[in-house]
Amino acid sequence: MATYQGRGAAIGFAEESTWGTAVSRTNWRPIISSSLLRTTVAIPRTDLHAGGPSRRSKFIESEQAGGSVSMLATYDNIGMLLKAAMGTVATTGSGPYTHAYTLADTLGSLTIESLRGTATNSEVFEGAKVSNMSLECAAGTEMTFNLDFVAETAAARSTAGTPSYAATENVILHHQAGQFSFNSVNYDLSSLNLQISTGVDRRQLLGSKLTKEPLRTGYAEITLAVTLEAQDALYTALHAGTESDTSITFTSGTSSFQIEVQNAYIESASDPINDAGIVSQDIVFRGLSDGTNHGLKITAINDNASGTAN
């Protein structure tokens, strides 16, 4: 039996015009890791017919597809994935272009091809929607982009497609960050972790082992966890219930990537003292909607004319 390695693993993806109808993959990204999988859930029958001390038979309860994907965040090659997680994008300018990604009531779906390393096969998932998204960066590291998907199903593993990567991979790096702002005050961060829970979940109904189109089952949740050298102003803002936009921008040449948590308040602030060194502070912000701005805006400036281009 052939052995294969994870080297060369990637995903290809494209926006579906109809949920659950697979389309050809237009964009490709190398990945850090993937747990994309199609699972058949079999459970024992509940009747008491037995052939001994254990259950006699089973039935198929459901078939579930999806999983997590992690990759490096870039200034110009993740637009389609950002739109899938947030809902909409508006593009302005004439080169460089400004792409503003914001939250929308409904989310589109993707067809995703999971290229399995040095194997010659891949698995194609259809009807994939983002249930969670995160962007993480700490001092001394690259920014990582993490996505959790729920999908309708996946085709049997078969011959892999041929990846077509962007000519450049302009990775977002820690030292390209500007200062973090909240309530008109600037701070230097040592790490940040933006989390979006979209509220999208499976819908299993009578008549199929597969989910119906996953929809929001609750509100989208936006949180931003940051670590910095302790600042009493943020501890004071926690207790004052201060609400303000937060913003941080990463810049590389003419490209930039801005994360703005809108109408944010401080959910928690912790700065314990446990040694003689510099005291660190962990802050969690939560974004809210004001009816116009819905808690999060990500703005990418790059040379792509399309906000969903590779």
Side-chain angles (χ1 to χ4, degrees):
M1 182 178 293
T3 299
Y4 61 93
Q5 299 174 305
R7 290 183 294 109
I11 60 167
F13 47 95
E15 294 180 309
E16 295 177 343
S17 55
T18 302
W19 176 81
T21 300
V23 295
S24 298
R25 277 63 71 197
T26 56
N27 296 19
W28 288 85
R29 285 299 318 280
I31 61 171
I32 297 170
S33 64
S34 170
S35 64
L36 290 173
L37 191 68
R38 177 169 62 104
T39 302
T40 297
V41 180
I43 62 175
R45 278 174 40 178
T46 55
D47 61 31
L48 301 180
H49 183 52
S54 58
R55 298 283 186 183
R56 186 180 183 93
S57 59
K58 67 180 188 312
F59 74 99
I60 303 302
E61 183 244 20
S62 62
E63 180 185 297
Q64 299 183 3
S68 301
V69 176
S70 179
M71 67 191 74
L72 295 179
T74 61
Y75 287 97
D76 40 21
N77 299 335
I78 59 174
M80 185 179 291
L81 298 172
L82 285 173
K83 182 186 174 188
M86 297 181 64
T88 188
V89 58
T91 297
T92 57
S94 57
Y97 300 89
T98 299
H99 313 288
Y101 301 87
T102 53
L103 301 182
D105 286 332
T106 59
L107 297 180
S109 61
L110 302 174
T111 297
I112 302 174
E113 181 172 355
S114 176
L115 183 61
R116 300 182 56 78
T118 60
T120 57
N121 63 2
S122 67
E123 198 166 9
V124 177
F125 295 79
E126 61 190 51
K129 289 195 173 187
V130 177
S131 58
N132 293 282
M133 182 198 101
S134 70
L135 288 162
E136 301 179 61
C137 191
T141 69
E142 308 132 313
M143 183 182 287
T144 57
F145 184 36
N146 312 295
L147 296 155
D148 295 336
F149 293 99
V150 290
E152 180 188 29
T153 188
R157 292 178 181 177
S158 60
T159 302
T162 302
S164 177
Y165 299 113
T168 60
E169 282 278 333
N170 192 8
V171 175
I172 302 173
L173 304 174
H174 72 102
H175 60 77
Q176 297 166 340
Q179 288 188 299
F180 174 80
S181 67
F182 173 72
N183 197 30
S184 301
V185 181
N186 293 329
Y187 302 93
D188 294 315
L189 301 183
S190 56
S191 70
L192 65 86
N193 185 340
L194 173 71
Q195 297 273 351
I196 307 172
S197 174
T198 67
V200 167
D201 205 353
R202 304 179 191 278
R203 299 163 55 225
Q204 188 173 6
L205 303 177
L206 293 179
S208 178
K209 296 177 293 184
L210 307 179
T211 180
K212 292 293 185 180
E213 181 176 1
L215 299 174
R216 293 193 197 274
T217 59
Y219 290 106
E221 303 285 347
I222 303 101
T223 59
L224 177 66
V226 303
T227 301
L228 68 163
E229 295 175 355
Q231 302 288 331
D232 286 342
L234 293 174
Y235 187 67
T236 300
L238 164 68
H239 296 289
T242 302
E243 188 175 307
S244 176
D245 293 346
T246 77
S247 180
I248 186 169
T249 302
F250 294 75
T251 304
S252 174
T254 59
S255 296
S256 67
F257 190 86
Q258 181 187 49
I259 299 170
E260 180 183 351
V261 177
Q262 299 164 324
N263 311 303
Y265 68 94
I266 298 177
E267 188 173 75
S268 65
S270 174
D271 53 359
I273 298 174
N274 47 36
D275 61 32
I278 295 172
V279 177
S280 292
Q281 189 172 42
D282 294 316
I283 305 289
V284 177
F285 296 89
R286 181 174 291 273
L288 299 174
S289 173
D290 61 14
T292 301
N293 300 314
H294 299 305
L296 179 65
K297 180 180 180 181
I298 294 177
T299 304
I301 297 177
N302 55 44
D303 291 328
N304 292 331
S306 168
T308 58
N310 218 3

